[in-house]
Amino acid sequence: MKRICSFSSVQLFSRSFRALASPRSLNYPLQSLKRSSVRMESSNFSSGVRTDTSVKPRGALIVLEGLDRSGKSTQCAKLLSFLEGLGHPTELWRFPDRETSVGQMISAYLSNKSQLDDHTIHLLFSANRWEKRSLMEEKLKTGTTLIVDRYSYSGVAFSSAKGLNIDWCKAPEIGLLAPDSVLYLDISPERAAERGGYGDERYERVEFQKKVADFYQTLRDSSWKIINAGEAMEEVEKKIQEVALDKVKECTKGKPLSLLWSS
Ligand code: ADP
Ligand code: DGP
């Protein structure tokens, strides 16, 4: 099992680095996603042109990001019950996934039980996402919405905050599935530090979290929705529900899947 995981990680990493070396090769997985969608061809009789209207309902990929203790886990759980309550097949995932063998190495590092070079731990976090990539695609294509607690943005923001080059940090994430929406739970590092359980793990230090917040700013794009995470839980919950439901509906109508990293 261990051997299978590491073999597929190597394959996936080599694809990712090939994509980086040649931007055109990024088209390969995009095209393969398009090819696998159901094609409904209809004739446009007035022009004689056959119109290809590929429409395949799928689940939405909704990512929650934010500083430690911004409320991600709390809100992910609430969103899961909300979407399930409306009858949408939904699963809650989180990264790092500490259940896998790679995840266990990450967990030991985060709880200061092991020491690793900054580049090494960065690649392990990324590998932890890659080892779930094909399952993620399968779930989405078969109609399950995934709520994901942290994703590639955490990977880049936390490692860049340590001083690693941001482009180097993004490289191993290229080719992972792009979220349909990133909900960023915005809170000041000082306020987050007042919340329960703060300080248990390696990165939970206010000065470091300030740097992480700056890198999150750099990563923001049009797929992001900024949510004021300092508000009462119920307020935060309502705002997240609105955005998430919109995305779930868009994906039901066949919004195409796309890949990181678009910018
Ligand atoms: P994260 O997953 O981002 O680290 P959690 O969801 O575990 O954050 O929340 C951290 C702590 O803050 C928990 O004790 C939680 O109950 C509390 N919390 C979460 N959201 C709020 C909120 N909006 N207002 C006050 N406390 C909150
Ligand atoms: P969590 O299980 O959400 O509390 O995350 C654990 C810690 O690991 C948290 O401080 C954020 C950090 N983290 C999450 N993902 C990554 C990643 O991909 N790279 C790095 N360097 N840190 C990460």
Side-chain angles (χ1 to χ4, degrees):
M1 178 61 191
K2 218 171 173 182
R3 215 154 51 83
I4 293 168
C5 283
S6 66
F7 175 65
S8 75
S9 295
V10 167
Q11 280 188 315
L12 292 165
F13 266 104
S14 75
R15 182 191 290 184
S16 159
F17 279 108
R18 271 205 311 276
L20 181 70
S22 160
R24 290 182 62 197
S25 66
L26 230 130
N27 289 337
Y28 155 67
L30 267 172
Q31 279 170 350
S32 74
L33 284 178
K34 282 182 192 152
R35 237 180 273 131
S36 61
S37 65
V38 168
R39 293 191 182 278
M40 296 190 299
E41 288 192 335
S42 63
S43 291
N44 177 337
F45 289 109
S46 56
S47 64
V49 173
R50 287 174 80 79
T51 322
D52 182 2
T53 51
S54 300
V55 175
K56 190 164 193 322
R58 64 166 176 93
L61 178 55
I62 297 167
V63 168
L64 271 76
E65 283 282 3
L67 299 182
D68 292 12
R69 309 295 153 182
S70 53
K72 297 178 301 301
S73 308
T74 307
Q75 293 298 334
C76 281
K78 288 177 183 292
L79 183 58
L80 175 69
S81 332
F82 173 71
L83 292 176
E84 281 183 335
L86 293 176
H88 296 289
T90 309
E91 287 183 16
L92 171 50
W93 287 21
R94 67 179 306 152
F95 290 110
D97 175 349
R98 302 188 193 213
E99 301 295 312
T100 71
S101 50
V102 172
Q104 282 164 20
M105 289 169 74
I106 295 171
S107 190
Y109 171 82
L110 288 172
S111 54
N112 292 305
K113 293 192 184 102
S114 72
Q115 304 304 323
L116 289 168
D117 165 75
D118 289 342
H119 299 82
T120 310
I121 185 65
H122 180 78
L123 294 173
L124 286 178
F125 271 111
S126 189
N128 188 234
R129 288 182 278 276
W130 274 104
E131 61 187 345
K132 290 303 186 81
R133 189 211 183 276
S134 56
L135 183 60
M136 183 180 263
E137 186 175 336
E138 187 186 313
K139 292 274 178 189
L140 294 171
K141 284 182 168 174
T142 51
T144 301
T145 284
L146 299 179
I147 301 166
V148 181
D149 187 341
R150 292 193 186 280
Y151 198 51
S152 302
Y153 310 94
S154 286
V156 178
F158 279 76
S159 292
S160 301
K162 291 173 168 178
L164 301 191
N165 175 278
I166 190 166
D167 291 325
W168 186 89
C169 292
K170 278 176 156 185
E173 308 295 317
I174 294 171
L176 288 173
L177 298 176
D180 295 297
S181 187
V182 179
L183 293 149
Y184 181 74
L185 300 196
D186 194 21
I187 192 166
S188 72
E190 291 83 1
R191 241 177 119 197
E194 290 163 8
R195 290 188 171 170
Y198 196 87
D200 292 346
E201 285 197 332
R202 184 182 284 265
Y203 295 136
E204 289 175 343
R205 290 174 281 112
V206 170
E207 283 314 306
F208 182 72
Q209 297 276 326
K210 282 183 186 166
K211 292 186 194 161
V212 174
D214 290 343
F215 279 102
Y216 268 129
Q217 285 283 338
T218 308
L219 293 171
R220 266 171 76 164
D221 65 27
S222 58
S223 70
W224 287 45
K225 182 85 187 168
I226 311 301
I227 309 279
N228 180 356
E231 291 187 337
M233 277 185 206
E234 298 69 26
E235 290 306 310
V236 179
E237 184 182 354
K238 267 191 251 161
K239 285 177 184 154
I240 290 178
Q241 287 175 354
E242 253 175 56
V243 181
L245 201 50
D246 265 7
K247 288 296 158 189
V248 169
K249 285 180 185 160
E250 269 181 42
C251 294
T252 308
K253 290 180 191 153
K255 178 177 181 277
L257 272 170
S258 57
L259 304 178
L260 289 177
W261 203 283
S262 57
S263 62

